[in-house]
Amino acid sequence: MTSSPLPDAWFTRDLPVLRAIARLVDGPEHGGSPYVLGAVVPASGLPKAEVVAAAKALASAGYIEPLTNHAGDIVRITAISAEARRLAGLWPTPQGEWDRLLDQLTARAENAPTDVERARWQAFADAARAVGPDAGALLMQSLVGGYVPRAR
């Protein structure tokens, strides 16, 4: 008996549905509680059965707070978790903010009005790249979260 991995459901089904839910919950059109069939299905572009399966998976993982009917079917989404907001792109992630910082430093170096300023911005960008994405993400995690580590 061969045991092969199950087909991906995160990138093909759950994440697109989570992003659709996040847009709807964050927007005023549905009062922050979109109907699964009336709003999430069309917003996701996926078939009804896929959206229902994704909603169940997202609810069991704690990404969404569902409102169910007496039969246990998810009718509306009343809220999403902080992690769901990050995964959907509504809130910053340390990696995303590090990438934005690198992009900003590069743009400043390219658009600096003088050679001296260009060299300074380029040195800053080079130093940031030398730090690397792992340490950079740790730094941005501190900044995004408002935490400044104490000196040892």
Side-chain angles (χ1 to χ4, degrees):
M1 176 175 167
T2 61
S3 177
S4 58
L6 295 172
D8 170 63
W10 177 251
F11 290 106
T12 60
R13 183 193 74 190
D14 298 349
L15 184 57
V17 170
L18 179 61
R19 286 181 174 149
I21 290 169
R23 282 191 302 271
L24 294 167
V25 166
D26 208 52
E29 301 85 24
H30 304 281
S33 296
Y35 284 98
V36 171
L37 299 182
V40 179
V41 169
S44 72
L46 294 172
K48 172 185 164 185
E50 298 252 339
V51 172
V52 169
K56 288 178 183 176
L58 293 168
S60 70
Y63 290 124
I64 63 172
E65 291 183 26
L67 178 65
T68 58
N69 63 17
H70 293 293
D73 299 322
I74 298 174
V75 179
R76 292 181 87 139
I77 309 302
T78 59
I80 60 175
S81 69
E83 183 61 19
R85 289 182 178 280
R86 285 182 194 88
L87 289 169
L90 292 175
W91 283 3
T93 63
Q95 296 82 5
E97 292 307 295
W98 181 249
D99 292 341
R100 284 173 24 111
L101 175 65
L102 292 177
D103 291 345
Q104 186 63 225
L105 293 172
T106 300
R108 297 225 178 214
E110 290 171 355
N111 298 313
T114 68
D115 289 341
V116 171
E117 287 181 72
R118 186 174 303 108
R120 286 180 182 157
W121 283 113
Q122 188 60 55
F124 195 179
D126 292 343
R129 278 189 195 79
V131 165
D134 294 335
L138 288 172
L139 171 66
M140 297 315 286
Q141 180 178 359
S142 298
L143 295 174
V144 168
Y147 170 74
V148 178
R150 292 183 293 176
R152 292 184 183 187

